[in-house]
Amino acid sequence: RRADFLALTSQLSPQGRGLVPGMTFGDDSALTDVLDHAMKRTSLSHLTAISGSHVTMMLAVVLVLTVRASVRWRAGLLMCALVALLLLVGPEASVVRAAAMATVAAIALSRGRPPQALPALATGIMVLMILDPWRSTSLGFALSVAASGALVLVVPRAVRRVPDSRVWTRRIVALVSVPLVAQLACAPIILLFSPAVSLASVPANLLVTPVVPLATGAGMLGL
């Protein structure tokens, strides 16, 4: 299926040939050098890598489609969807982290408990470190954990500081704080292998945020 998808996208523009497979299942082999350099300069290279957002979108669709099913059926279908995604994209660091979190959440769901992000993240990381201690040397895994931890700890608190009556202000705070918090959390790690910080990274990520779910979702649906 991946080969068929790549064959179809090869008919697109040079930018499309690189971006569509990259945003769908992390294959950035067709990215041009110019586009790859531009994405790295603006801290947008994560768009062509499989991340937790793929897992989140897929699980959200499964939960919506199974809203009338029993709790145990929903948890079982979540696990089946996770396995299918891992078989499709491979054991990428961020996907493994997100899958571990989702597994803990699915277990909590099957036991009738409300899933909680921070315990799920901590449990997932602990299990992965026990199973594969060498994963701690992976920069991709470190970036994924740092960004996820910062988003879980900081963004909800920032949103809660805005009164409930100011709905649009809360939405704007949530929209701005996600790329800003993620960038600040990842910056110390990024500096280890790239001694520069782009001032355009946060505005660039803010601009692409509304269209990423649409592009990735459409690509996964097409695949």
Side-chain angles (χ1 to χ4, degrees):
R1 295 293 179 228
R2 290 174 60 137
D4 294 338
F5 192 85
L6 289 172
L8 288 173
T9 55
S10 65
Q11 304 171 29
L12 300 175
S13 66
Q15 293 82 3
R17 284 198 298 270
L19 287 174
V20 175
M23 296 183 70
T24 302
F25 53 86
D27 189 327
D28 58 358
S29 58
L31 274 180
T32 64
D33 292 338
V34 174
L35 183 58
D36 182 50
H37 179 68
M39 292 179 71
K40 288 178 179 177
R41 286 289 300 273
T42 53
S43 298
L44 292 176
S45 55
H46 63 89
L47 296 181
T48 54
I50 291 294
S51 66
S53 61
H54 290 75
V55 178
T56 302
M57 282 188 287
M58 186 190 66
L59 296 186
V61 171
V62 172
L63 288 174
V64 169
L65 294 177
T66 60
V67 67
R68 295 182 180 275
S70 68
V71 171
R72 292 186 181 276
W73 267 102
R74 298 183 84 188
L77 289 171
L78 284 177
M79 293 304 301
C80 291
L82 275 175
V83 172
L85 182 64
L86 286 172
L87 290 174
L88 174 66
V89 304
E92 297 287 340
S94 56
V95 175
V96 171
R97 188 269 312 156
M101 285 184 66
T103 300
V104 175
I107 293 173
L109 181 65
S110 68
R111 296 172 63 88
R113 299 178 180 178
Q116 297 182 350
L118 189 58
L121 176 62
T123 304
I125 294 170
M126 181 179 67
V127 171
L128 290 174
M129 290 295 94
I130 292 173
L131 295 176
D132 182 12
W134 288 104
R135 192 175 293 276
S136 60
T137 63
S138 168
L139 287 173
F141 186 75
L143 289 169
S144 177
V145 170
S148 300
L151 294 178
V152 167
L153 289 171
V154 178
V155 174
R157 295 184 181 184
V159 173
R160 283 197 297 267
R161 287 182 175 273
V162 182
D164 294 340
S165 58
R166 305 176 68 177
V167 178
W168 279 104
T169 305
R170 287 171 68 95
R171 292 177 179 175
I172 293 172
V173 169
L175 185 66
V176 174
S177 61
V178 168
L180 179 61
V181 167
Q183 184 67 27
L184 290 175
C186 293
I189 302 173
I190 294 174
L191 287 173
L192 293 176
F193 58 90
S194 178
V197 177
S198 172
L199 296 179
S201 58
V202 172
N205 278 275
L206 186 61
L207 286 172
V208 302
T209 295
V211 298
V212 170
L214 296 175
T216 301
M220 293 180 71
L221 182 61
L223 180 62

